[in-house]
Amino acid sequence: MSELLPPVIVGAGPAGIRAAERLVAAGLRPVVVDEAARWGGQIYRQPPEGDFTRPKKALYGFEAGKADAVHRAMAAIRDRVDYRPRTLVWNCEDGALDLLCDGTSETLPFSHLILATGATDRVLPFPGWTLPGVFTLGGSQVALKFQGCAVGRRVAFLGTGPLLYLVAYQYLKAGVEVAGVFDTTSFAAQARATPGMLRDPATLAKGLLFVGWLRAHGVPIHNGVRPVRAEGTERVDALVWRDAQGRERRTGCDAVAFGLGLRSETQLADLAGCRFRFDEADRAWLPERDEAGRSSVPGVYLAGDGSGIAGADAAELAGERAALALLEDRGLPVDAARVRDLDSRLARIAAFRRVLNTAFPFPADWADAIADDTMICRCEGVTAGAVREVARSGQAREMNRAKALTRAGMGRCQGRMCSATAAELLSRTLGTGPDGVGRLRAQPPIKPLPIATIIPSPPRSRANEVCADATGGPEVRRKRGEGQGEGDALRGSGQPVVAFQPPTSAPPRIPLTQPSPRGGEGTDTGREVT
């Protein structure tokens, strides 16, 4: 009976669209579930429907042709897929997804599932990062592409990775004053990686063009920097930073866009029961998959940045490859030559991504400089000192124990924003690598649900309940077997699952005064362009 169920794809970005295209070509009618209102994903996000229009060249630059191809591919199969936009997948359990669309809940069973969940910005905090006007790089890019507005009039770009230069270039092209590009990677490291980057001369040429365009228009580019603080009262008015020689300097600005590459969105893979491994290149725990995209759970496939950062081009290929694996597992014929071609192209991209990691390494020493009074978890008001204290006292040697004791990761974002920071702080205090402190287990709902929404629990094999947390608000948790420790509980049993509004005694939220829907507290943000 389960074989009669249509395949389900979560995510309508490059990976999800190419997967759907391949399944449709095989005569299947997949269900495509996407949180956005229009297909394209973060990287090829389309403007909202209505009077707001901009040409694709203005929105996507050099990637306009690729964006148009992806958009057209989905449009061509639109009547042959069950497309569900504006739909949040907030749980995956026992062969079914829990969905929420326009206030209506639904349980969607599946026999085969492709997770193309994408990625979010990876950030490490610094003093002043909660000031209005401080955004993630992805959030800044989304504001420009989706809403046609900038996050400020004079913007400083901080962090490392290709996205840093791309977004700065896009802002400059849009007529925004760029106060400077502040790269945490040394120029020497980037120079050493240049010969390896010749494996993909087109991507290297685009990167050089971005840098050259910025310099030609008087934008200062500084390498080997570290942030000291963002200054301001009502909003940010300056970025204070330390240069490669250790000198403290100050740059006036009314917005800061920062990010340290991307991190995969893995919550649904975790809830589906996928086995994880620590990936040194991504410096993160990722769901295991084979070269075809098969996870450790039969019938669950992984494609795109949600299972390892590789960029939009790789996402398209990986989406199609996962669809071919699904077809093969369902006993349907596949093109062996196409499989070999996809595997070869994905291997070449993976090799180039390793070179990029050497050109833009994660600044591991950043965590050491985070002051104890710096807030690392905005949802729960947890400071860096609180995490260090539970490590120094011997009370916590792994992430879920630290979460139980400090509440870091218990808020609206479920650790998407703070878990990387908490792992770095905990591991460096304990003298281990981030692989030595484990990872936060995903718990439904993976994103906040409207408080007015009543979601009855479907009949499942595991018991569920809603547990009240220490501040009186319900925190939704899920029992994942023995040895889970504090920080785990059970998910709803016949009760409504809701996101709660904090009591007045909770730490105040810092309002975002800019109009971007992304990059704020507990939200996911943009994707990297390669």
Side-chain angles (χ1 to χ4, degrees), residues 261-291:
L262 302 175
R263 53 167 297 279
S264 299
E265 286 275 41
T266 61
Q267 294 95 330
L268 289 178
D270 193 0
L271 293 174
C274 297
R275 188 167 56 243
F276 277 60
R277 60 174 174 77
F278 187 79
D279 185 273
E280 292 287 348
D282 280 9
R283 204 175 178 88
W285 290 88
L286 300 176
E288 292 183 3
R289 60 184 173 96
D290 65 13
E291 63 181 9

Side-chain angles (χ1 to χ4, degrees), residues 7 30 133 163 198 201 250 275 309 330 338 363 376 381 467 509-510:
L163 189 63
L198 290 172
R250 184 180 187 275
R275 188 167 56 243
I309 306 304
R330 289 187 67 150
R338 181 59 177 169
I376 67 162
C467 298
R509 303 293 196 258
I510 304 298

Side-chain angles (χ1 to χ4, degrees), residues 438-452:
R439 61 186 177 87
L440 290 182
R441 291 177 290 272
Q443 299 181 29
I446 64 170
K447 291 184 180 179
L449 304 179
I451 196 168

